[in-house]
Amino acid sequence: MDDHQRCPRFEKAMEILSKRWTALIIFQLLPGPQRFARIENSLQNLSGKVLSDRLKELELEGIVKRDVYPETPVRIEYRLTDKGKALAPLFDSISNWSGEWIQLSQ
Amino acid sequence: MDDHQRCPRFEKAMEILSKRWTALIIFQLLPGPQRFARIENSLQNLSGKVLSDRLKELELEGIVKRDVYPETPVRIEYRLTDKGKALAPLFDSISNWSGEWIQLSQ
DNA sequence: CTGCATCCGATAAGATACTG
DNA sequence: CAGTATCTTATCGGATGCAG
């Protein structure tokens, strides 16, 4: 039995996804583009500051795209890129696992 | 288009898995039981304290089991429970995604 | 030597108030 | 509405040390 090979890609992925709130934000965006306030309201205990930080990080990683619609008032929407949408199977995996193994009695 | 329903199981799962190092530790244990020092050595920059913390958390969650073999010197091994092993598909998903989308040029 | 406790500085998160 | 600035609080993680 050997160690798992150190895989930098895998570790990078974990580094991105394992930041607090990041995965939940992506999950929330899966159904489609959403505005800042909506994401904020959908995630209990997530402050505007942290959401702002995370969205910026995700934009840098190319997982989220920020669309500005110059209406009045201006409308800004966040949506997943293809790279972001490609994470859907991962969330299915987590969903399946949590459905089978997580008890809420605690 | 609706918000994703708030799913406490999913959020609990994310809370567990998204702690720094946790997923990498589980990944490292997938091939089989391992001792403390081996896990520590396999994960660059992971300190003994943090590993100890994480293993205790994972034990509480029923994801990892700690086996004590009363030899001299004592031998302690950590292994995944069925609940832990059930996470394997999740790591496949991350692996696939990172293989396809993560660039290391940065 | 291995596994873990304690201490403490660094970092991140949260509350609140404010701006374009 | 979509953030930012500032401050306080909580959490993390690295160094060290000690017990079995």
Side-chain angles (χ1 to χ4, degrees):
Chain A
M1 178 197 60
D2 281 323
D3 285 346
H4 261 133
Q5 297 236 116
R6 299 212 340 101
C7 172
R9 279 178 222 273
F10 183 85
E11 290 172 17
K12 183 75 192 327
M14 288 308 314
E15 189 186 312
I16 296 169
L17 296 171
S18 75
K19 277 200 113 164
R20 196 172 176 187
W21 297 114
T22 299
L24 289 173
I25 292 167
I26 297 172
F27 183 65
Q28 174 62 27
L29 285 175
L30 277 178
Q34 289 174 54
R35 304 179 68 174
F36 191 94
R38 179 164 190 176
I39 305 172
E40 188 175 9
N41 293 331
S42 71
L43 298 171
Q44 192 75 348
N45 297 326
L46 171 59
S47 70
K49 171 181 168 293
V50 175
L51 177 54
S52 178
D53 290 349
R54 288 300 175 273
L55 286 171
K56 243 172 289 185
E57 291 162 7
L58 288 170
E59 217 187 329
L60 278 175
E61 294 294 346
I63 292 172
V64 161
K65 179 76 173 52
R66 182 179 187 269
D67 292 320
V68 180
Y69 299 95
E71 311 164 353
T72 41
V74 68
R75 181 165 54 99
I76 297 174
E77 287 189 345
Y78 295 89
R79 63 178 167 82
L80 296 181
T81 62
D82 288 341
K83 179 174 176 179
K85 289 175 191 163
L87 286 165
L90 171 63
F91 290 100
D92 290 340
S93 297
I94 299 175
S95 241
N96 292 339
W97 182 79
S98 64
E100 186 170 0
W101 292 97
I102 298 290
Q103 300 305 323
L104 294 177
S105 46
Q106 350 184 12
Chain B
M1 175 199 62
D2 282 322
D3 286 346
H4 259 133
Q5 298 237 113
R6 301 211 341 102
C7 173
R9 279 177 222 274
F10 182 86
E11 290 173 16
K12 183 78 193 325
M14 287 311 312
E15 190 186 312
I16 296 168
L17 296 170
S18 76
K19 279 199 112 164
R20 195 173 175 191
W21 297 113
T22 299
L24 290 173
I25 291 167
I26 297 172
F27 183 65
Q28 174 62 27
L29 284 176
L30 277 177
Q34 289 174 53
R35 304 183 66 178
F36 191 93
R38 180 165 189 175
I39 306 171
E40 188 175 9
N41 292 332
S42 71
L43 298 171
Q44 193 75 349
N45 297 327
L46 172 59
S47 70
K49 171 184 170 293
V50 175
L51 177 54
S52 177
D53 289 349
R54 290 298 177 274
L55 287 171
K56 239 171 292 181
E57 291 160 7
L58 288 170
E59 216 187 330
L60 277 176
E61 294 294 344
I63 292 171
V64 162
K65 180 76 174 54
R66 182 177 187 269
D67 293 320
V68 180
Y69 300 95
E71 310 163 352
T72 43
V74 66
R75 180 166 55 98
I76 298 174
E77 287 190 344
Y78 297 89
R79 62 178 167 84
L80 296 181
T81 61
D82 289 342
K83 180 175 177 179
K85 288 175 190 164
L87 285 166
L90 172 65
F91 291 100
D92 290 341
S93 297
I94 299 176
S95 239
N96 291 339
W97 182 78
S98 66
E100 185 169 2
W101 291 98
I102 298 290
Q103 300 305 324
L104 294 177
S105 45
Q106 347 185 12

